[in-house]
Amino acid sequence: MNNIISRQALALCLLSCASPAFAQDGTSAVNGGIEEIVVTAQKRSESLQKTPISMMAMTGADIEKKGIADITDLRTLVPSLAVTPHPNSATTARVFIRGIGNNHDQITVDPSVAVYLDGIYIARNQGLSAEVAEVERIEVLRGPQGSLYGRNATGGAINYITRAPELGEFSAKQTLAIGNYDQFRSRTRVNIPVGDRFAVELGYLHSQKDGFVDNSGTGVARWGDQRRDAYRAAILWQPTDALQLRYTYDRSDINDTPVFMVAAPFYPRMADRPTAGSPLVRNLMPNDATSQGHNLTISWEVADDVTLKSLTGYRKLSSITNQNYLTGVVGPFPLILTGFDQKQDQWSEEVQLVGSALDRRLDYVLGAYYFDENGESADYSAITGRPRMDRVATIHNRAYALYGQATFRPAFAEGLYLTGGLRWSRDEREATLDQSIVPATGSPTVLPHGMGNNHFSNLSPSFVIGYSANAQINIYAKYARGYKTGGYNIRASSVARFNEGFGPETLASFELGIKSSWLDNHLQTNLALFRSNYRDIQTNIQSDPSNVAITDVFNAGKARIQGFELDVIAKPIDALTLSVSYAYLDAQFQEILDQSGNDITFRYTFVEAPKHTLTTSLEYRFPETTIGVLTANIDYFMKSKASTSTADPRYVIGDYGLLNARLTLSDIPVGFGNWRLSAFGKNLADKEYYIAHFNGGLPSAIFGDPRTYGLELSFEY
């Protein structure tokens, strides 16, 4: 297999570097070329093509054309990225990049992919499926981002960058969409300038869609309903040319109903997609999650090439979720009932010094970071035939970090650049656990109080050596190490196991990449080959196979992850844009030892790590007509089969493909403003597929959405 990878990689490298005669000397795209995307993945604005990171970035226009509403929509657009719902709550998104992620929904366990909103870290996966009122750009960084992003970015990072208010210009935008399953979506944005130095932007979004499974019992009418609202207020004040203050408040409310799960046979067999649940379901309740935050970013240009930046963030989460497992499958009762009431708040402060020196041959970023988090989670799980388990867990986490990264371009070797980075991190983690066993009759049994207090430290370096042969070719070799902090497991088999907790895991990644532009910037090919060594993996082990509510987490293993990612964009003519993104992933455990030191590696597989993932896109802009400009967008996504259970290889989601399309009539001559009308469809072939397959007391699965379609009208002034 390694030889195959090597031959494929060599061929792709030769394809990317084949003949420099095709490369142009210009430093900017000519008319009709591929649009340049500016990203801030390295804490400064730079071209995506100049950034030595395997990443994908979607602009505001891409977000609209692809119909991206929340983080779950990214799973069909970014190879190497997987986003799945947790069975307990579809509002809790489990995010994986290159096979690295977190299957838990516990408040005591941190994610492996860091999610940022305007530079502010979002610590919890709960409520992560929320929608943001106005997103300007989304950046998905693949691989560990240790030196600049710190802890909990072993898999990678996702940056949401929202739109900043515009000075000196009034603007407004309204979008309305309707569709099958009673889809309705309204997005409103207004930008109000106040003089030349101050501006306010207000945004509101309402989104709703009915689920495709009726609830034949009592309670809410359907499984999988979406009812979401998002609010945003932003202020930009620029008192001088050198000083800028930006404040943003965002809030997202989710009132979805629980997703429906079916009893599902093991792969390769598959259940039929349901349309109604059991009439035996009683009092099915909706979820209620609210995520909100404040962000104050102050930027001061100390000198022409030096900027001092402060990012202050406060975020708050309230998440109430409910789930009913498989009522009516084996009798007139649910196999499991769960309920969670989780509250969390966090405060962070980051100071950055971003600058250049030595006639801009040296670029640097220096930073200091502080994070403080408090949370409480009250939950119950009632398994048929067993007493109910009630739990209350609390957390208090602090994190400190100092980091720096510098890029040097020596004068004696034009095109060569060297980057070095280092981050020191310290995590202090406290948690408590109170549990009660509540029988159907009789008094509850109160278990011993659990309490853990651990701290961890880490140094995460990164090194890059790169060479820009000309303005169109950027070749780099990169080493980076990522670190995910330890935590506690509230589903542990004993209080002693909870108190002990589990330690950090680390990942060291080696990456070789090339980013290139050809044919007067009408063709871009980006390729990244990587190999990662994964150590002290936080492995989830189901200690009691007869009780799915009990699991233990151990730093049990070692693994090797390797593969490559290829992104190609072609614009052969002005009207046509084609893109292909492909990821190959080979992830294998190398060693897992049980508590007695026995090698049990053969029992384990990587989850959400398909060997092949492909996304393709076609956009064609038809000649202008008297009623406007017609544009067609067609997207196809394919992924090969993937395991979904670490310790049970029978849980597999088979390969599937999804076809999406959008037809847009823009520049409609109504007389004022810019009008746009779109017809859209997702999963046009009505493919039946799973998005989750797991042990829910019996083998269970959650289906992805069937065919959806609708119309969208947008007005911008």
Side-chain angles (χ1 to χ4, degrees):
M1 180 60 73
N2 291 342
N3 290 336
I4 294 173
I5 295 173
S6 300
R7 288 196 297 268
Q8 291 173 326
L10 179 60
L12 290 168
C13 282
L14 292 174
L15 173 66
S16 299
C17 305
S19 172
F22 287 103
Q24 305 299 314
D25 293 331
T27 58
S28 61
V30 298
N31 291 336
I34 298 168
E35 179 183 359
E36 180 185 52
I37 298 178
V38 176
V39 298
T40 53
Q42 297 193 112
K43 310 296 186 183
R44 62 171 70 241
S45 297
E46 58 189 345
S47 169
L48 183 149
Q49 293 298 103
K50 301 299 182 184
T51 306
I53 298 174
S54 177
M55 64 180 294
M56 293 189 71
M58 282 142 283
T59 65
D62 295 327
I63 292 168
E64 288 191 0
K65 287 184 290 189
K66 308 295 185 183
I68 301 172
D70 58 48
I71 194 170
T72 61
D73 291 323
L74 297 178
R75 64 183 168 218
T76 61
L77 299 172
V78 182
S80 294
L81 172 69
V83 184
T84 67
H86 194 281
N88 285 335
S89 167
T91 65
T92 300
R94 300 182 294 186
V95 186
F96 296 78
I97 295 180
R98 292 180 177 175
I100 301 171
N102 178 19
N103 257 335
H104 293 276
D105 64 343
Q106 301 179 41
I107 201 169
T108 52
V109 180
D110 284 6
S112 302
V113 175
V115 177
Y116 289 82
L117 179 61
D118 288 330
I120 302 299
Y121 174 61
I122 300 176
R124 296 294 128 209
N125 284 348
Q126 289 81 2
L128 200 57
S129 295
E131 302 190 30
V132 181
E134 195 66 32
V135 178
E136 181 179 79
R137 189 173 71 255
I138 301 174
E139 301 173 358
V140 180
L141 286 60
R142 299 178 288 209
Q145 308 296 323
S147 58
L148 287 181
Y149 288 83
R151 66 195 185 107
N152 305 337
T154 47
I158 300 176
N159 291 331
Y160 285 83
I161 298 92
T162 64
R163 176 188 170 96
E166 295 182 9
L167 298 173
E169 183 176 358
F170 174 84
S171 63
K173 185 175 182 179
Q174 175 66 53
T175 301
L176 296 170
I178 58 172
N180 63 333
Y181 294 101
D182 285 338
Q183 290 183 71
F184 176 73
R185 184 179 178 86
S186 173
R187 183 191 293 271
T188 305
R189 174 181 60 80
V190 179
N191 185 85
I192 305 170
V194 182
D196 296 330
R197 297 284 185 176
F198 193 89
V200 177
E201 183 174 281
L202 303 175
Y204 171 68
L205 178 145
H206 174 77
S207 175
Q208 65 181 58
K209 183 175 69 173
D210 289 351
F212 58 89
V213 180
D214 293 333
N215 176 24
S216 302
T218 63
V220 298
R222 284 168 302 277
W223 304 78
D225 279 359
Q226 293 183 0
R227 300 291 185 271
R228 302 176 180 182
D229 293 277
Y231 315 82
R232 182 172 177 271
I235 296 172
L236 180 64
W237 181 35
Q238 191 171 322
T240 69
D241 290 343
L243 182 63
Q244 184 181 94
L245 293 86
R246 179 182 172 187
Y247 165 78
T248 304
Y249 170 75
D250 68 272
R251 175 183 173 123
S252 298
D253 296 330
I254 304 178
N255 295 107
D256 296 0
T257 62
V259 293
F260 185 78
M261 58 184 68
V262 298
F266 291 121
Y267 178 84
R269 293 190 299 153
M270 187 173 178
D272 294 326
R273 186 171 62 203
T275 58
S278 170
L280 301 171
V281 171
R282 292 292 174 264
N283 194 28
L284 183 65
M285 295 183 293
N287 302 318
D288 184 3
T290 297
S291 175
Q292 56 187 314
H294 304 264
N295 179 351
L296 176 62
T297 300
I298 303 174
S299 299
W300 176 33
E301 292 187 11
V302 181
D304 287 343
D305 293 322
V306 181
T307 300
L308 182 65
K309 182 180 288 188
S310 167
L311 294 93
T312 306
Y314 174 77
R315 298 200 63 83
K316 187 176 181 180
L317 170 70
S318 173
S319 176
I320 298 174
T321 59
N322 307 280
Q323 186 55 284
N324 181 303
Y325 283 64
L326 302 176
T327 289
V329 172
V330 297
F333 47 79
L335 289 186
I336 308 173
L337 280 177
T338 64
F340 286 80
D341 186 351
Q342 298 173 319
K343 293 179 172 59
Q344 178 258 5
D345 64 85
Q346 63 177 74
W347 181 83
S348 63
E349 172 63 34
E350 184 170 4
V351 178
Q352 301 172 357
L353 185 68
V354 182
S356 300
L358 305 178
D359 197 22
R360 298 192 175 182
R361 290 191 175 273
L362 176 68
D363 293 331
Y364 60 86
V365 178
L366 301 173
Y369 179 74
Y370 175 73
F371 173 85
D372 189 279
E373 176 188 25
N374 289 280
E376 179 179 284
S377 174
D379 74 274
Y380 72 88
S381 58
I383 301 175
T384 296
R386 295 176 180 269
R388 191 184 77 220
M389 173 69 78
D390 292 351
R391 287 180 292 228
V392 177
T394 67
I395 59 170
H396 184 197
N397 301 325
R398 300 182 191 89
Y400 314 82
L402 297 172
Y403 64 88
Q405 179 171 295
T407 299
F408 178 60
R409 301 174 181 83
F412 62 82
E414 195 66 32
L416 178 69
Y417 62 92
L418 305 168
T419 299
L422 183 66
R423 187 182 188 104
W424 169 82
S425 300
R426 177 180 171 86
D427 285 281
E428 299 173 355
R429 302 183 68 85
E430 301 174 14
T432 66
L433 178 64
D434 292 290
Q435 303 177 93
S436 299
I437 299 175
V438 184
T441 60
S443 301
T445 300
V446 178
L447 300 181
H449 177 68
M451 182 169 60
N453 188 339
N454 289 325
H455 61 84
F456 313 101
S457 296
N458 176 264
L459 282 175
S460 292
S462 63
F463 305 99
V464 178
I465 179 170
Y467 180 65
S468 297
N470 51 46
Q472 283 73 41
I473 297 179
N474 178 23
I475 303 170
Y476 66 91
K478 178 180 180 180
Y479 169 82
R481 193 163 70 194
Y483 151 78
K484 177 183 174 181
T485 185
Y488 302 91
N489 175 26
I490 66 173
R491 300 193 182 103
S493 57
S494 68
V495 173
R497 283 288 309 127
F498 171 84
N499 295 343
E500 181 182 349
F502 50 87
E505 62 182 26
T506 60
L507 183 137
S509 174
F510 305 86
E511 183 172 305
L512 177 65
I514 177 170
K515 297 188 174 185
S516 59
S517 301
W518 310 94
L519 304 177
D520 208 13
N521 199 35
H522 284 74
L523 174 66
Q524 286 183 0
T525 59
N526 295 344
L527 172 67
L529 299 88
F530 61 89
R531 182 184 174 98
S532 301
N533 296 320
Y534 201 5
R535 296 294 181 264
D536 299 319
I537 302 170
Q538 296 166 4
T539 305
N540 189 44
I541 298 174
Q542 191 167 317
S543 306
D544 183 356
S546 66
N547 186 352
V548 296
I550 302 299
T551 60
D552 281 317
V553 177
F554 300 96
N555 294 97
K558 302 177 182 178
R560 184 265 300 139
I561 304 169
Q562 62 185 9
F564 64 85
E565 292 142 352
L566 175 67
D567 303 312
V568 179
I569 303 175
K571 197 168 185 179
I573 58 175
D574 288 350
L576 178 64
T577 303
L578 304 167
S579 67
V580 176
S581 293
Y582 170 75
Y584 173 81
L585 186 63
D586 178 20
Q588 295 181 8
F589 286 104
Q590 293 178 310
E591 181 183 78
I592 296 180
L593 303 178
D594 65 15
Q595 291 177 291
S596 301
N598 300 312
D599 192 330
I600 55 173
T601 310
F602 65 94
R603 299 181 187 174
Y604 288 84
T605 59
F606 264 83
V607 300
E608 300 300 337
K611 282 193 177 294
H612 308 281
T613 311
L614 174 72
T615 66
T616 62
S617 178
L618 180 151
E619 177 179 314
Y620 184 76
R621 183 181 176 96
F622 293 89
E624 185 173 357
T625 69
T626 56
I627 61 171
V629 178
L630 191 65
T631 304
N633 293 90
I634 301 173
D635 301 306
Y636 182 74
F637 164 79
M638 183 279 295
K639 66 180 292 187
S640 61
K641 68 178 182 178
S643 175
T644 58
S645 173
T646 303
D648 193 335
R650 296 176 298 175
Y651 290 95
V652 172
I653 293 178
D655 59 283
Y656 65 90
L658 300 176
L659 178 66
N660 304 327
R662 175 177 287 252
L663 190 63
T664 300
L665 183 65
S666 58
D667 299 331
I668 302 174
V670 174
F672 66 97
N674 185 357
W675 294 83
R676 185 171 65 246
L677 179 64
S678 300
F680 62 86
K682 292 187 175 183
N683 189 10
L684 289 175
D686 202 24
K687 176 70 175 178
E688 296 188 8
Y689 64 101
Y690 296 157
I691 54 175
H693 191 21
F694 51 92
N695 185 350
L698 291 173
S700 308
I702 298 172
F703 274 89
D705 283 347
R707 180 191 298 118
T708 57
Y709 51 85
L711 296 173
E712 181 180 271
L713 178 65
S714 177
F715 166 76
E716 190 167 6
Y717 176 78

Short mmCIF file of all heavy atoms in Angstrom, two decimals, residues 570-602:
data_model
loop_
_atom_site.label_atom_id
_atom_site.label_comp_id
_atom_site.label_asym_id
_atom_site.label_seq_id
_atom_site.Cartn_x
_atom_site.Cartn_y
_atom_site.Cartn_z
N ALA A 570 -10.22 24.70 -12.49
CA ALA A 570 -9.93 25.07 -13.88
C ALA A 570 -11.00 26.04 -14.38
O ALA A 570 -12.20 25.85 -14.12
CB ALA A 570 -9.89 23.83 -14.76
N LYS A 571 -10.55 27.05 -15.12
CA LYS A 571 -11.46 28.01 -15.75
C LYS A 571 -11.05 28.14 -17.22
O LYS A 571 -10.40 29.11 -17.62
CB LYS A 571 -11.40 29.35 -15.03
CG LYS A 571 -12.58 30.26 -15.33
CD LYS A 571 -12.61 31.45 -14.39
CE LYS A 571 -13.88 32.26 -14.63
NZ LYS A 571 -13.97 33.42 -13.71
N PRO A 572 -11.42 27.14 -18.03
CA PRO A 572 -10.96 27.14 -19.42
C PRO A 572 -11.49 28.32 -20.22
O PRO A 572 -10.83 28.79 -21.14
CB PRO A 572 -11.48 25.81 -19.96
CG PRO A 572 -12.61 25.42 -19.05
CD PRO A 572 -12.25 25.97 -17.71
N ILE A 573 -12.69 28.77 -19.91
CA ILE A 573 -13.26 29.96 -20.52
C ILE A 573 -13.89 30.79 -19.42
O ILE A 573 -14.13 30.30 -18.31
CB ILE A 573 -14.32 29.61 -21.61
CG1 ILE A 573 -15.45 28.76 -21.01
CG2 ILE A 573 -13.67 28.90 -22.78
CD1 ILE A 573 -16.57 28.48 -21.99
N ASP A 574 -14.17 32.05 -19.70
CA ASP A 574 -14.69 32.94 -18.67
C ASP A 574 -15.97 32.41 -18.05
O ASP A 574 -16.24 32.63 -16.86
CB ASP A 574 -14.94 34.33 -19.25
CG ASP A 574 -13.64 35.06 -19.55
OD1 ASP A 574 -12.58 34.55 -19.13
OD2 ASP A 574 -13.69 36.13 -20.19
N ALA A 575 -16.79 31.73 -18.83
CA ALA A 575 -18.11 31.34 -18.36
C ALA A 575 -18.13 30.03 -17.58
O ALA A 575 -19.13 29.70 -16.94
CB ALA A 575 -19.07 31.22 -19.55
N LEU A 576 -17.03 29.27 -17.63
CA LEU A 576 -17.05 27.92 -17.07
C LEU A 576 -15.96 27.76 -16.01
O LEU A 576 -14.80 28.08 -16.24
CB LEU A 576 -16.82 26.89 -18.18
CG LEU A 576 -16.76 25.42 -17.76
CD1 LEU A 576 -18.09 24.96 -17.18
CD2 LEU A 576 -16.36 24.54 -18.95
N THR A 577 -16.34 27.24 -14.84
CA THR A 577 -15.41 26.91 -13.78
C THR A 577 -15.65 25.48 -13.33
O THR A 577 -16.78 25.09 -13.03
CB THR A 577 -15.57 27.85 -12.57
OG1 THR A 577 -15.38 29.21 -12.98
CG2 THR A 577 -14.54 27.52 -11.48
N LEU A 578 -14.57 24.69 -13.31
CA LEU A 578 -14.64 23.30 -12.88
C LEU A 578 -13.72 23.11 -11.68
O LEU A 578 -12.63 23.69 -11.63
CB LEU A 578 -14.19 22.37 -14.01
CG LEU A 578 -14.94 22.47 -15.34
CD1 LEU A 578 -14.18 21.73 -16.42
CD2 LEU A 578 -16.34 21.91 -15.20
N SER A 579 -14.14 22.31 -10.72
CA SER A 579 -13.27 22.03 -9.59
C SER A 579 -13.42 20.57 -9.17
O SER A 579 -14.50 19.98 -9.27
CB SER A 579 -13.58 22.95 -8.40
OG SER A 579 -14.86 22.67 -7.88
N VAL A 580 -12.31 20.00 -8.74
CA VAL A 580 -12.26 18.63 -8.24
C VAL A 580 -11.39 18.63 -6.99
O VAL A 580 -10.28 19.16 -7.00
CB VAL A 580 -11.69 17.64 -9.28
CG1 VAL A 580 -11.58 16.25 -8.68
CG2 VAL A 580 -12.54 17.62 -10.53
N SER A 581 -11.90 18.03 -5.92
CA SER A 581 -11.11 17.85 -4.69
C SER A 581 -11.21 16.39 -4.29
O SER A 581 -12.31 15.83 -4.22
CB SER A 581 -11.63 18.75 -3.57
OG SER A 581 -11.41 20.11 -3.86
N TYR A 582 -10.06 15.80 -4.03
CA TYR A 582 -10.01 14.37 -3.70
C TYR A 582 -9.09 14.17 -2.51
O TYR A 582 -8.05 14.83 -2.39
CB TYR A 582 -9.49 13.56 -4.89
CG TYR A 582 -9.19 12.12 -4.56
CD1 TYR A 582 -10.20 11.18 -4.39
CD2 TYR A 582 -7.87 11.70 -4.40
CE1 TYR A 582 -9.92 9.87 -4.08
CE2 TYR A 582 -7.57 10.38 -4.09
CZ TYR A 582 -8.60 9.47 -3.93
OH TYR A 582 -8.31 8.17 -3.61
N ALA A 583 -9.48 13.27 -1.61
CA ALA A 583 -8.64 12.93 -0.46
C ALA A 583 -8.53 11.42 -0.36
O ALA A 583 -9.54 10.70 -0.45
CB ALA A 583 -9.23 13.50 0.82
N TYR A 584 -7.30 10.95 -0.19
CA TYR A 584 -7.05 9.55 0.10
C TYR A 584 -6.53 9.45 1.52
O TYR A 584 -5.61 10.19 1.92
CB TYR A 584 -6.02 8.95 -0.86
CG TYR A 584 -5.61 7.54 -0.49
CD1 TYR A 584 -6.40 6.46 -0.84
CD2 TYR A 584 -4.45 7.31 0.26
CE1 TYR A 584 -6.04 5.17 -0.47
CE2 TYR A 584 -4.09 6.03 0.62
CZ TYR A 584 -4.89 4.96 0.25
OH TYR A 584 -4.55 3.70 0.63
N LEU A 585 -7.10 8.55 2.33
CA LEU A 585 -6.76 8.45 3.74
C LEU A 585 -6.53 6.99 4.11
O LEU A 585 -7.36 6.13 3.83
CB LEU A 585 -7.88 9.04 4.59
CG LEU A 585 -7.64 9.16 6.10
CD1 LEU A 585 -6.48 10.09 6.38
CD2 LEU A 585 -8.91 9.67 6.79
N ASP A 586 -5.39 6.73 4.72
CA ASP A 586 -5.05 5.39 5.22
C ASP A 586 -4.70 5.54 6.69
O ASP A 586 -3.61 6.00 7.04
CB ASP A 586 -3.87 4.83 4.43
CG ASP A 586 -3.43 3.46 4.94
OD1 ASP A 586 -4.23 2.80 5.62
OD2 ASP A 586 -2.27 3.08 4.66
N ALA A 587 -5.64 5.18 7.58
CA ALA A 587 -5.47 5.35 9.02
C ALA A 587 -5.53 3.99 9.69
O ALA A 587 -6.50 3.25 9.52
CB ALA A 587 -6.57 6.26 9.58
N GLN A 588 -4.50 3.68 10.45
CA GLN A 588 -4.43 2.36 11.10
C GLN A 588 -3.84 2.49 12.50
O GLN A 588 -2.86 3.22 12.71
CB GLN A 588 -3.56 1.40 10.28
CG GLN A 588 -4.10 1.06 8.92
CD GLN A 588 -3.21 0.08 8.18
OE1 GLN A 588 -2.26 -0.46 8.74
NE2 GLN A 588 -3.50 -0.16 6.91
N PHE A 589 -4.46 1.77 13.44
CA PHE A 589 -3.86 1.64 14.76
C PHE A 589 -2.64 0.72 14.66
O PHE A 589 -2.68 -0.31 14.01
CB PHE A 589 -4.86 1.06 15.76
CG PHE A 589 -5.93 2.04 16.18
CD1 PHE A 589 -7.21 1.96 15.68
CD2 PHE A 589 -5.63 3.04 17.10
CE1 PHE A 589 -8.19 2.85 16.07
CE2 PHE A 589 -6.60 3.95 17.50
CZ PHE A 589 -7.88 3.85 16.98
N GLN A 590 -1.57 1.11 15.34
CA GLN A 590 -0.35 0.30 15.37
C GLN A 590 -0.21 -0.48 16.67
O GLN A 590 0.37 -1.56 16.68
CB GLN A 590 0.87 1.19 15.17
CG GLN A 590 0.95 1.81 13.78
CD GLN A 590 2.14 2.73 13.65
OE1 GLN A 590 2.38 3.59 14.48
NE2 GLN A 590 2.90 2.55 12.58
N GLU A 591 -0.73 0.08 17.75
CA GLU A 591 -0.64 -0.61 19.03
C GLU A 591 -1.69 -0.10 19.99
O GLU A 591 -1.84 1.12 20.17
CB GLU A 591 0.75 -0.41 19.65
CG GLU A 591 0.94 -1.12 20.99
CD GLU A 591 2.28 -0.83 21.62
OE1 GLU A 591 2.44 0.26 22.20
OE2 GLU A 591 3.16 -1.71 21.52
N ILE A 592 -2.46 -1.00 20.57
CA ILE A 592 -3.36 -0.69 21.67
C ILE A 592 -3.20 -1.78 22.72
O ILE A 592 -3.33 -2.97 22.42
CB ILE A 592 -4.83 -0.61 21.21
CG1 ILE A 592 -5.02 0.54 20.22
CG2 ILE A 592 -5.76 -0.42 22.40
CD1 ILE A 592 -6.43 0.69 19.72
N LEU A 593 -2.90 -1.36 23.93
CA LEU A 593 -2.69 -2.29 25.03
C LEU A 593 -3.81 -2.14 26.05
O LEU A 593 -4.23 -1.02 26.36
CB LEU A 593 -1.35 -2.03 25.71
CG LEU A 593 -0.10 -2.08 24.82
CD1 LEU A 593 1.14 -1.76 25.63
CD2 LEU A 593 0.02 -3.44 24.15
N ASP A 594 -4.31 -3.27 26.55
CA ASP A 594 -5.31 -3.20 27.61
C ASP A 594 -4.62 -2.96 28.94
O ASP A 594 -3.38 -2.81 29.02
CB ASP A 594 -6.18 -4.45 27.63
CG ASP A 594 -5.41 -5.72 27.99
OD1 ASP A 594 -4.28 -5.61 28.50
OD2 ASP A 594 -5.95 -6.81 27.76
N GLN A 595 -5.39 -2.92 30.03
CA GLN A 595 -4.83 -2.58 31.34
C GLN A 595 -3.83 -3.63 31.83
O GLN A 595 -3.03 -3.35 32.72
CB GLN A 595 -5.95 -2.40 32.36
CG GLN A 595 -6.79 -1.15 32.09
CD GLN A 595 -7.93 -1.03 33.06
OE1 GLN A 595 -8.88 -1.81 33.02
NE2 GLN A 595 -7.85 -0.06 33.94
N SER A 596 -3.89 -4.81 31.26
CA SER A 596 -2.95 -5.86 31.65
C SER A 596 -1.72 -5.90 30.75
O SER A 596 -0.86 -6.77 30.91
CB SER A 596 -3.66 -7.23 31.62
OG SER A 596 -4.77 -7.24 32.50
N GLY A 597 -1.65 -5.01 29.77
CA GLY A 597 -0.52 -4.97 28.86
C GLY A 597 -0.66 -5.85 27.65
O GLY A 597 0.29 -5.98 26.86
N ASN A 598 -1.82 -6.45 27.44
CA ASN A 598 -2.04 -7.31 26.28
C ASN A 598 -2.31 -6.46 25.04
O ASN A 598 -3.02 -5.45 25.10
CB ASN A 598 -3.23 -8.24 26.53
CG ASN A 598 -3.00 -9.15 27.73
OD1 ASN A 598 -1.95 -9.76 27.86
ND2 ASN A 598 -4.00 -9.22 28.62
N ASP A 599 -1.76 -6.90 23.92
CA ASP A 599 -1.96 -6.19 22.66
C ASP A 599 -3.32 -6.57 22.08
O ASP A 599 -3.58 -7.72 21.73
CB ASP A 599 -0.86 -6.56 21.67
CG ASP A 599 -0.86 -5.65 20.45
OD1 ASP A 599 -1.94 -5.16 20.08
OD2 ASP A 599 0.21 -5.43 19.87
N ILE A 600 -4.23 -5.57 21.98
CA ILE A 600 -5.59 -5.81 21.47
C ILE A 600 -5.84 -4.95 20.24
O ILE A 600 -6.98 -4.59 19.94
CB ILE A 600 -6.65 -5.54 22.56
CG1 ILE A 600 -6.48 -4.12 23.14
CG2 ILE A 600 -6.56 -6.58 23.68
CD1 ILE A 600 -7.61 -3.73 24.09
N THR A 601 -4.76 -4.63 19.52
CA THR A 601 -4.88 -3.73 18.37
C THR A 601 -5.87 -4.26 17.33
O THR A 601 -6.59 -3.47 16.70
CB THR A 601 -3.50 -3.55 17.71
OG1 THR A 601 -2.55 -3.21 18.71
CG2 THR A 601 -3.54 -2.47 16.65
N PHE A 602 -5.90 -5.57 17.15
CA PHE A 602 -6.74 -6.17 16.11
C PHE A 602 -8.23 -5.87 16.31
O PHE A 602 -9.02 -6.00 15.38
CB PHE A 602 -6.52 -7.68 16.07
CG PHE A 602 -6.98 -8.41 17.32
CD1 PHE A 602 -8.25 -8.96 17.39
CD2 PHE A 602 -6.13 -8.53 18.41
CE1 PHE A 602 -8.66 -9.62 18.54
CE2 PHE A 602 -6.54 -9.19 19.56
CZ PHE A 602 -7.80 -9.74 19.63
#
